[in-house]
């Protein structure tokens, strides 16, 4: 049986508890389903189950991140014979710990992150990796306790506080909705447009070195837009091992959050057997036509962008070598 999971993330005093309490007090979100409530942190605000619209809500506290396991979650599911799960997640825990522990029949129906606008920039400056971790998969990011005057204030570069919030979210996640809450019944949806720095309607799309990270994210999030397009860009060539002689992996190291999360972001390229003549790790420029198709190198993850190269040339390294957003 499929068990829907509603995951609420954010740091202490970010407004998670208040939102969940209000949601459970209404029939739209709480019609009496048997609900397992996993409480992974306790703030100053307490829950009041007596006000819940439905009464079949069963609280279980998880005190340590190390306690998260599939065995524990399955046992709690059986104990309460639950139909759904609500999680108030600890902001200091990595989300991967929860997703690794999720039983196979548990499916995330919604993931929401809450942030206090008064402290968000400080958290992002001092705990960037944890903030990024919560933003990367959130469908909705809610900034509460916003002040209109402060949100419109601009820094020495002419960037408003709201735009700074927007950019921080977009580096981690281009698909999430963003909501600014100024008070009761006073909310604003983020409508800031994020144009790409390159024109995907051109017959040949040339990707500058400093556009690589943006392009790589976009081609993976909106693959069909690139199907049949011709690209010209620079990166590193990876070959050898199990990669056939007429293929190589083309990419660059990308940093999305901090130094600790630098990883190689690459795509499959098809060329001639000359691909094997390049050294592993060589910098090259490629001209290639994109096809969205299955390829064994993607290890059964489904169709992905495959670059059919018409030209591959050695090149000087990009500066800087690690691409960032």
């Amino acid at each position: 049986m499929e068990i829907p999971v509603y995951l609420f993330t954010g740091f202490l005093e970010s407004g998670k508890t208040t939102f969940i309490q209000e949601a459970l007090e209404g029939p739209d979100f709480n019609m009496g389903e048997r609900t397992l409530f996993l409480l992974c942190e306790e703030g100053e605000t307490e829950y009041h189950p007596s006000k819940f619209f439905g009464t079949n809500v069963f609280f279980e506290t998880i005190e340590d991140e190390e306690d998260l396991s599939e065995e524990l979650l399955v046992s709690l599911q059986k104990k309460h014979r639950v139909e759904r799960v609500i999680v108030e997640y600890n902001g200091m825990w990595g989300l991967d710990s929860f997703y690794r522990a999720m039983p196979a029949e548990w499916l995330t129906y919604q993931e929401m992150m809450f942030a206090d606008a008064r402290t968000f920039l400080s958290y992002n400056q001092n705990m960037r990796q944890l903030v990024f971790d919560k933003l990367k998969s959130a469908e909705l990011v809610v900034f509460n306790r916003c002040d209109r005057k402060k949100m419109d204030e601009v820094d020495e570069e002419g960037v408003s506080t709201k735009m700074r919030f927007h950019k921080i979210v977009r580096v981690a996640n281009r698909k999430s909705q963003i909501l600014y809450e100024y008070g009761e019944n006073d909310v604003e949806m983020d409508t800031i447009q994020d144009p790409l720095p390159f024109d995907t309607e051109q017959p040949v799309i040339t990707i500058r070195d400093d556009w690589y990270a943006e392009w790589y994210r976009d081609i993976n999030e909106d693959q069909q837009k690139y199907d049949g397009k011709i690209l010209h860009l620079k990166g590193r060539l990876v070959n050898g091992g199990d990669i056939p002689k007429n293929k190589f992996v083309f990419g660059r190291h990308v940093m999305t959050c901090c130094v600790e999360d630098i990883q190689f972001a690459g795509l499959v390229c098809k060329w001639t057997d000359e691909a094997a003549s390049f050294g592993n790790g060589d910098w090259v420029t490629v001209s290639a036509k994109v096809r969205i198709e299955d390829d064994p190198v993607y290890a059964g993850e489904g169709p992905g962008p495959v670059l059919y190269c018409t030209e591959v040339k050695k090149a000087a390294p990009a500066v800087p070598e690690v691409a960032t957003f």
Side-chain angles (χ1 to χ4, degrees), residues 258-276:
C258 50
V259 173
E260 288 78 7
D261 83 340
I262 292 176
Q263 57 185 317
F264 188 77
L267 300 174
V268 175
C269 287
K270 291 186 177 180
W271 197 33
T272 65
D273 287 351
E274 293 181 53

Side-chain angles (χ1 to χ4, degrees), residues 128-315:
R128 174 60 179 150
Q129 192 164 3
L130 283 170
V131 172
F132 182 90
D133 178 65
K134 307 305 178 295
L135 290 172
K136 65 184 180 183
S137 52
E139 298 166 58
L140 174 66
V141 178
V142 179
F143 292 106
N144 52 48
R145 305 182 182 97
C146 293
D147 180 285
R148 289 189 183 276
K149 183 178 179 180
K150 291 183 178 179
M151 294 298 286
D152 291 335
E153 288 179 351
V154 298
D155 59 20
E156 61 276 6
E157 297 179 353
V159 179
S160 69
T161 301
K162 183 186 293 184
M163 178 59 80
R164 291 177 68 189
F165 282 21
H166 173 91
K167 288 184 175 181
I168 291 169
V169 175
R170 284 291 172 259
V171 165
N173 188 331
R174 287 185 62 194
K175 295 184 177 181
S176 61
Q177 291 184 305
I178 306 172
L179 186 147
Y180 306 100
E181 185 179 83
Y182 298 98
E184 189 174 357
N185 301 320
D186 185 8
V187 298
E188 175 190 6
M189 293 300 299
D190 185 296
T191 58
I192 299 172
Q193 298 297 311
D194 296 290
L196 293 166
F198 47 87
D199 186 357
T200 58
E201 296 303 318
Q202 292 296 315
V204 177
I205 306 172
T206 299
I207 306 300
R208 287 187 354 198
D209 291 352
D210 55 339
W211 294 345
Y212 183 88
E214 189 83 7
W215 165 78
Y216 182 80
R217 179 173 60 187
D218 193 60
I219 196 173
N220 279 282
E221 292 182 351
D222 195 359
Q223 297 180 5
Q224 293 302 323
K225 178 171 65 179
Y226 289 88
D227 194 24
K229 299 288 186 178
I230 296 175
L231 299 174
H232 182 77
L233 70 168
K234 180 190 292 184
R236 304 188 82 158
L237 180 151
V238 177
N239 59 11
D242 295 330
I243 302 175
K245 290 184 177 181
N246 66 336
K247 291 183 183 180
F248 59 92
V249 176
F250 172 87
R252 287 180 60 186
H253 286 91
V254 172
M255 181 175 72
T256 54
C257 166
C258 50
V259 173
E260 288 78 7
D261 83 340
I262 292 176
Q263 57 185 317
F264 188 77
L267 300 174
V268 175
C269 287
K270 291 186 177 180
W271 197 33
T272 65
D273 287 351
E274 293 181 53
S277 66
F278 284 90
N280 192 19
D282 279 353
W283 283 91
V284 295
T285 56
V286 302
S287 295
K289 191 169 189 177
V290 181
R291 293 297 185 196
I292 307 302
E293 60 188 30
D294 288 304
D295 190 277
V297 177
Y298 290 139
E301 295 180 358
V306 177
L307 308 186
Y308 282 78
C309 297
T310 56
E311 184 178 64
V312 180
K313 291 183 176 180
K314 282 194 175 184

